[in-house]
Amino acid sequence: MKKETYKKAMNKIKLPEERKEEIYNSVLNKQKQKKRQYFKPVFITTISAFVILIGTLGTVYAEEIKIMFNSMTKVQNKEKKKTEFNSSAVAEVNYNANISEMQYDYRNNPFYTYDELETIFGIPFLKSDYFGLENLYPLYVRKKRNNISEVSFSIDNYNLLEYRKLEDDNFSLTISFITKYADKRKTNQFSVQGTHEDTEYYIEALKTKAYISSNLETIQTRYILLDYYGVHYNLYLRFSINKTKQEADEETIQILESLYL
């Protein structure tokens, strides 16, 4: 009942004005209490649904982050001047991929394009304009019970059969992954020996981090390792001897930020 209706009804009743006002306010207060009692469970239900939604999204994105972000460990041995990196990333691919088992044979194994490999294995791989999209050569393709278990391909910005001049920038990108069919103890391993410095860099373009290992004796050399969506990547960068350390550092960052799926 609206306020105007209450007032009209009260005016028809012959009571002192003070008593009318008291009854009128009492009715209004009861009406407000009923509204509060109605909206309270609705509010609680809405908040509960919101919390459940956030929790669900958090679980989904947690799994996404687990796949996307770095799954590497680093062990340093300062006495031996050695750092060992281990990647426990496991990729979900087309396990029955139509590709033969292979070991490294640069002269006889076929070369592939990014498009061909992504079609074969059913997943995207990081790429960069520094390397192009063609001439990826297999280091190995291994199977277990006819299912893909271990794979590694590499691409360079130079021809392996040609002499690599020290005045040139020589880069290579290696793409490796293991699957659920690989030995359970299997990991992607890489070690850096000698006088070197290990740092971490957060790649804004990919929203993930990479390990950079720089040779302190040869300032032109960088080893970079990262995991992304279950795939392990290893970049070897050897800059021209004509470049300063600062120039090499700056171009290293440019190469990392140039990576994309």
Side-chain angles (χ1 to χ4, degrees):
M1 189 179 292
K2 296 182 179 179
K3 292 183 180 180
E4 293 77 7
T5 307
Y6 281 125
K7 288 185 177 180
K8 288 180 182 180
M10 292 302 296
N11 289 333
K12 292 181 181 180
I13 301 174
K14 295 181 179 181
L15 290 172
E17 289 299 322
E18 294 81 0
R19 183 57 178 159
K20 287 183 180 180
E21 190 67 25
E22 182 182 340
I23 296 172
Y24 173 68
N25 290 332
S26 176
V27 172
L28 287 184
N29 288 334
K30 288 181 179 179
Q31 190 69 15
K32 288 179 181 179
Q33 289 176 358
K34 288 182 180 178
K35 288 182 179 180
R36 290 196 193 101
Q37 291 173 353
Y38 171 76
F39 283 109
K40 186 175 180 180
V42 173
F43 177 75
I44 292 174
T45 302
T46 304
I47 292 297
S48 299
F50 180 74
V51 170
I52 292 171
L53 175 62
I54 292 298
T56 303
L57 289 175
T59 301
V60 172
Y61 283 110
E63 289 301 312
E64 187 77 0
I65 290 169
K66 182 179 178 182
I67 296 172
M68 180 176 176
F69 276 69
N70 214 295
S71 51
M72 293 174 56
T73 59
K74 180 179 72 171
V75 179
Q76 286 182 306
N77 188 325
K78 294 183 179 180
E79 185 178 345
K80 293 184 177 181
K81 297 180 181 179
K82 178 181 179 181
T83 303
E84 185 176 276
F85 298 91
N86 290 281
S87 166
S88 58
V90 176
E92 294 184 11
V93 302
N94 175 17
Y95 303 113
N96 303 118
N98 184 22
I99 188 170
S100 302
E101 289 190 277
M102 286 178 273
Q103 292 292 348
Y104 175 72
D105 187 343
Y106 185 81
R107 294 177 183 275
N108 296 315
N109 282 340
F111 282 76
Y112 293 83
T113 66
Y114 264 94
D115 185 59
E116 287 171 335
L117 288 183
E118 290 177 341
T119 301
I120 288 170
F121 295 112
I123 60 172
F125 298 107
L126 288 179
K127 48 193 77 77
S128 167
D129 293 338
Y130 278 84
F131 300 95
L133 301 175
E134 299 181 345
N135 298 327
L136 290 100
Y137 56 91
L139 299 177
Y140 55 81
V141 176
R142 297 169 185 154
K143 296 183 178 182
K144 185 173 288 187
R145 298 188 297 275
N146 293 321
N147 292 303
I148 296 294
S149 60
E150 302 172 52
V151 170
S152 185
F153 280 79
S154 191
I155 187 170
D156 312 292
N157 74 331
Y158 55 85
N159 189 325
L160 284 177
L161 298 180
E162 295 178 357
Y163 176 72
R164 286 177 276 173
K165 298 178 182 178
L166 295 177
E167 293 78 14
D168 296 334
D169 290 333
N170 294 291
F171 307 145
S172 68
L173 170 63
T174 300
I175 302 169
S176 306
F177 64 84
I178 59 176
T179 75
K180 63 182 181 180
Y181 291 101
D183 189 305
K184 291 183 179 180
R185 295 170 295 178
K186 182 69 178 179
T187 60
N188 283 303
Q189 296 180 329
F190 184 82
S191 61
V192 181
Q193 190 82 40
T195 305
H196 62 279
E197 178 183 54
D198 299 320
T199 58
E200 292 183 16
Y201 175 75
Y202 185 79
I203 307 174
E204 288 290 343
L206 302 178
K207 305 303 179 187
T208 192
K209 70 177 179 180
Y211 290 106
I212 303 176
S213 187
S214 305
N215 190 319
L216 298 179
E217 296 174 355
T218 308
I219 62 173
Q220 279 74 26
T221 303
R222 307 284 188 281
Y223 296 100
I224 303 168
L225 302 103
L226 70 145
D227 290 344
Y228 202 66
Y229 282 98
V231 179
H232 180 67
Y233 297 88
N234 185 327
L235 288 91
Y236 168 72
L237 311 178
R238 197 199 71 187
F239 295 97
S240 165
I241 58 172
N242 298 321
K243 289 185 176 178
T244 65
K245 182 180 184 303
Q246 181 177 347
E247 290 173 331
D249 287 339
E250 290 175 353
E251 191 162 357
T252 296
I253 301 306
Q254 292 174 9
I255 292 173
L256 288 176
E257 293 295 345
S258 75
L259 294 170
Y260 66 96
L261 284 180

